[in-house]
């Protein structure tokens, strides 16, 4: 007989006991803290013979394999002390709203869990029957909904056997795959004949830290091949049974594509790793692209979802590449929502490629990605992007305009409109100051109570008729606000934004996170992780912003590129500080012209703002025409961005005017003749505004230079990332023009890459001479 394999009851039930539709309204339930408080509230009512949180185990045999089933019963009410026969089991579930508003699929899960516990209890104490109660607790109304059951052992044994056989049929397939993958990965070698400079050191560093169950941060020059250098050691660790699942997190589509391409290289050695690419819901769902699929408020691909899911999972597991194209094909075959299908695959695949939010976001994050069920390693690509993204994830806002519009909507119930009006009045009465450290305790408590009430009312309304897009959008704001309120700590602050429309003034209340480092650290606490980027300096800035402790090793990899490959020039006569910008436009236009005339090629001119970019663009067109120019659109979609980059890359020559720090200047490979240089206008400093100033003050209270941490260093990241687009291979040659006299300061130059040897110029003629010399040499 093999060793017993531990399995949680929650996992078995979730996999085998959901049937029917996905709930039309995805409503996030109470937080973990609220759930614990609700359980304790119920448990305290039960009396002295009631025992809370009772651990239970049972063995189940299938062939030569024994499953060790584990769970925790919320409560056992003994009718007499320690009499296991005359007692009642209780399963408690907390919720917002009435029991009738809970999805049938969720209620079926709750009952199934109670049945498993009843079977385990009867098996352990050799009983033929047992009493049990399923209790749903409405947090808002503080009301219990109790359902009593009398279970018999034989009946439940049939139920349990059926579900466990179904689970084992699936799980044994997963285990066999993992066993074979582990064997194959033992012979894995680097997928290229030789390492580039820095790749071996990066791979060794990550493998070493996985083996030691430690963490690392790696600053590796742009263009060395960081993605494959991170995936390779991670799958070597799979071969050594150190890792069971690799989570590759990135901020941009280009990063996801690079990771997907990287696993294809590893597969060439017979490594049948199953890779899942998670897409945003609005990009993945069929109904997002065609509203005809939505019937009476529900997408037809969500109807009967759980009934068709088992067969679809089997088909998915026969594939290795589970990207958007593959998932869409299988989802269409089984008439399932592709986004929801992808979520059901997360815990079973070997590699998950996803955006940061699937791990770190407190609302949309997936618990089975960060749970400690399996040994995982997190590879966090372009980690510099996580700083601002994480602060956004842990922030929330409520708009007076949105809730007032809802309060005036006749198609919703009177009670829903009345609550909306109360929220609107409360928001309208908030102090007009742009920053208020705290609301009054009374206002804060009232706002949270109203938000909870509104969530319950909307959930109830959704059971009567489909919700409008406006109501769904407002519900999402409410849910996020409640989640952030539960999590908010010393690094959160309120801000009030005044919005004026004609004679009407309306407010937006923001609960803004100034530093999300503690939340990032919490999510990564149970697993090894490697953060890497072309720019992870200064060290103190990243450690304080990303929750990186002093025990996390830092490795700075040398650049494989020589100083002769790039021409770095600083304009000492250009000042792009806000008040000086009008006087710098002409000089910037002259620099662009000199670059264009020195060598016909393709260049990006990168700006701190749309207004400034438009001013320079218009003057350039006025003086030199608009031939071979591309201008970034203010609200460009993914298709427009791709077309912009494709057009510039394929053109023989041209100049692209873009915003620094966006998708045009990060995460893109312009190799060979695709890009000959960048002109960086300004130091990339974020705009001065109340929230950024609050971040500055927050760092100063921790003993740091607030201006550096809130303004200078984030700006520097944008500059270095933008400059990193130019030299991507040992064959590339290109220009990096820094058009601001502040770059001459040691405050910036000390953080320049070691291979840079910047030279100064103060007029067009000097620039021309530098350019002519560089291009003659190259």
């Amino acid at each position: 007989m093999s060793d017993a394999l531990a399995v949680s009851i929650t996992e078995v039930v979730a996999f085998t006991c959901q049937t029917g539709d996905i709930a039309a309204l995805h409503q996030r339930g109470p937080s973990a803290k609220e759930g614990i408080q609700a359980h304790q509230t119920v448990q305290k009512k039960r009396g002295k013979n009631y025992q809370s949180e009772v651990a239970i185990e049972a063995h189940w045999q299938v062939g030569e394999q024994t499953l060790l089933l584990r769970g925790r019963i919320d409560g056992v009410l003994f009718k007499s002390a320690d009499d296991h026969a005359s007692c009642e089991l209780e399963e408690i579930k907390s919720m917002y709203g009435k029991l009738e508003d809970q999805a049938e699929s969720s209620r079926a899960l709750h009952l199934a869990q109670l049945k498993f516990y009843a079977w385990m209890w009867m098996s352990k104490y050799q009983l033929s029957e047992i009493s049990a109660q399923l209790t749903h607790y409405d947090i808002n109304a503080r009301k219990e909904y109790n359902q009593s059951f009398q279970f018999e052992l034989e009946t439940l044994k049939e139920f349990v056997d059926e579900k466990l056989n179904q689970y084992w049929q699936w799980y044994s397939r997963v285990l066999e795959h993992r066993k074979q993958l582990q064997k194959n990965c033992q012979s894995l070698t680097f997928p290229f004949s030789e390492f580039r400079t820095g790749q071996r050191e990066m791979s060794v560093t990550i493998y070493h830290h996985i083996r030691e169950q430690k963490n690392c941060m790696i600053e590796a020059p742009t263009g060395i091949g960081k993605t494959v250098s991170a995936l390779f050691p991670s799958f070597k660790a799979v071969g050594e049974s150190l890792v069971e699942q690799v989570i590759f997190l990135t901020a941009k589509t280009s990063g996801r594509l690079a990771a997907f391409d990287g696993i294809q290289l590893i597969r060439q050695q017979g490594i049948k790793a199953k890779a899942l690419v998670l897409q945003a819901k609005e990009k993945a769902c069929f109904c997002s692209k065609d509203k005809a699929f939505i019937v009476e408020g529900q997408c037809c691909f969500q109807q009967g979802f759980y009934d068709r899911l088992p067969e679809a999972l089997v088909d998915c597991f026969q594939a290795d590449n589970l990207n958007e194209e593959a998932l869409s094909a299988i989802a269409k075959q089984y008439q399932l929502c592709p986004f929801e299908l992808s979520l059901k695959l997360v815990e079973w695949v070997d590699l998950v490629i996803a955006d940061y939010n699937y791990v770190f976001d407190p609302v949309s994050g997936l618990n089975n990605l960060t749970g400690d069920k399996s040994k995982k390693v997190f590879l966090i690509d372009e980690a510099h992007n996580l700083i601002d993204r994480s602060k956004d994830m842990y922030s929330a806002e409520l708009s007076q305009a949105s809730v007032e519009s809802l309060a005036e909507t006749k198609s919703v119930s009177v009670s829903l409109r009345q609550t909306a009006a109360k929220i609107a009045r409360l928001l309208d009465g908030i102090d007009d100051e742009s920053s208020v450290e705290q609301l009054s305790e009374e206002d804060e408590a009232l706002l949270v109570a109203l938000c909870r009430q509104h969530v319950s009312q909307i959930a109830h309304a959704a059971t009567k008729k489909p919700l409008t897009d406006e109501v769904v959008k407002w519900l999402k704001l409410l849910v996020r606000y409640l989640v952030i309120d539960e999590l908010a700590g010393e690094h959160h602050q309120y801000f009030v934004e005044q919005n004026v429309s004609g004679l009407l003034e309306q407010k937006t209340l923001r609960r803004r996170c100034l530093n999300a480092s503690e939340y990032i650290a919490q999510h990564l606490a149970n697993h090894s992780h490697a953060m890497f980027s072309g720019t992870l300096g200064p060290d103190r800035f990243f450690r304080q912003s990303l929750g990186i402790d002093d025990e996390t090793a830092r490795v700075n990899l040398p650049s494989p590129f020589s100083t002769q490959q790039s021409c770095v020039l600083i304009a000492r006569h250009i000042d792009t500080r806000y008040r000086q910008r009008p006087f710098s436009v002409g000089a910037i236009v002259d620099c662009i012209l000199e670059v264009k005339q020195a060598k016909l090629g393709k260049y990006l001119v990168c700006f701190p703002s749309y207004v400034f970019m438009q001013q320079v663009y218009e003057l350039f067109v006025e003086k030199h025409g608009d031939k071979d120019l591309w201008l970034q659109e203010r609200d460009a979609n993914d298709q427009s961005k791709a077309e912009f980059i494709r057009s510039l890359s394929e053109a023989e020559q041209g100049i692209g005017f873009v915003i620094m720090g966006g998708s045009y200047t990060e995460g893109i490979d312009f190799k060979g003749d695709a890009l000959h240089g960048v002109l960086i206008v300004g130091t990339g400093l974020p705009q001065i505004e109340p929230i950024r100033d609050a971040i500055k003050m927050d760092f100063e209270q921790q003993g740091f230079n607030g201006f550096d941490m809130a303004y200078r260093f984030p700006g520097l990241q944008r500059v270095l990332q933008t400059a990193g687009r130019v030299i991507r291979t040992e064959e590339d040659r290109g220009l990096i023009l820094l058009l601001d006299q502040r770059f001459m300061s040691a405050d910036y130059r000390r953080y320049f890459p070691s291979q840079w040897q910047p030279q100064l110029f103060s007029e067009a003629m000097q620039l021309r001479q530098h350019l002519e010399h560089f291009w003659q040499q190259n």
Side-chain angles (χ1 to χ4, degrees), residues 597-621:
Q597 292 179 337
K599 178 180 176 65
L600 294 179
K602 289 164 281 189
Y603 303 92
L604 289 178
V605 190
C606 311
F607 294 85
S609 73
Y610 283 95
V611 173
F612 196 14
M613 178 176 70
Q614 194 71 38
Q615 291 172 345
V616 174
Y617 176 81
E618 289 175 357
L619 182 60
F620 189 90
V621 170

Side-chain angles (χ1 to χ4, degrees), residues 20-136:
D21 303 349
I22 290 177
L25 177 65
H26 279 284
Q27 177 191 342
R28 183 184 174 91
S31 67
K33 182 178 178 181
E34 287 177 316
I36 292 172
Q37 291 173 341
H39 277 60
Q40 291 173 345
T41 298
V42 173
Q43 290 163 345
K44 286 177 181 178
K45 297 178 181 180
R46 298 301 187 241
K48 63 180 181 179
N49 291 332
Y50 186 86
Q51 188 175 344
S52 302
E53 309 300 328
V54 179
I56 185 79
E57 291 184 351
H59 290 85
W60 186 79
Q61 193 72 30
V62 52
E64 293 297 314
Q65 181 64 58
T66 300
L67 296 187
L68 174 57
L69 306 172
R70 288 174 171 166
R72 187 173 294 274
I73 304 171
D74 290 328
V76 180
L77 179 61
F78 293 94
K79 295 180 181 178
S80 59
D82 295 327
D83 184 354
H84 297 95
S86 59
C87 63
E88 182 177 63
L89 311 184
E90 182 174 38
E91 179 68 14
I92 304 169
K93 298 297 179 183
S94 57
M95 60 185 182
Y96 296 137
K98 302 175 181 178
L99 179 60
E100 65 191 69
D101 298 337
Q102 305 304 305
E104 285 295 334
S105 55
S106 297
R107 292 163 65 177
L109 279 182
H110 303 161
L111 179 56
Q113 192 167 350
L114 181 60
K115 287 181 176 180
F116 263 91
Y117 289 151
W119 170 79
M120 294 168 76
W121 187 272
M122 287 188 285
S123 299
K124 181 175 182 179
Y125 295 108
Q126 298 180 346
L127 307 176
S128 60
E129 61 180 9
I130 191 74
S131 298
Q133 177 171 289
L134 181 58
T135 299
H136 286 86

Side-chain angles (χ1 to χ4, degrees), residues 399-409 417 420-421 423-425 427-428 470 474 504-507:
S399 163
Q400 184 182 350
S402 296
V403 71
E404 282 184 347
S405 175
L406 189 61
E408 297 169 359
T409 302
R417 294 203 307 270
I423 296 174
R425 286 195 297 271
L427 293 175
D428 187 55
E470 180 186 21
W474 172 246
L504 187 64
E505 287 189 7
Q506 293 174 315
K507 298 173 183 175

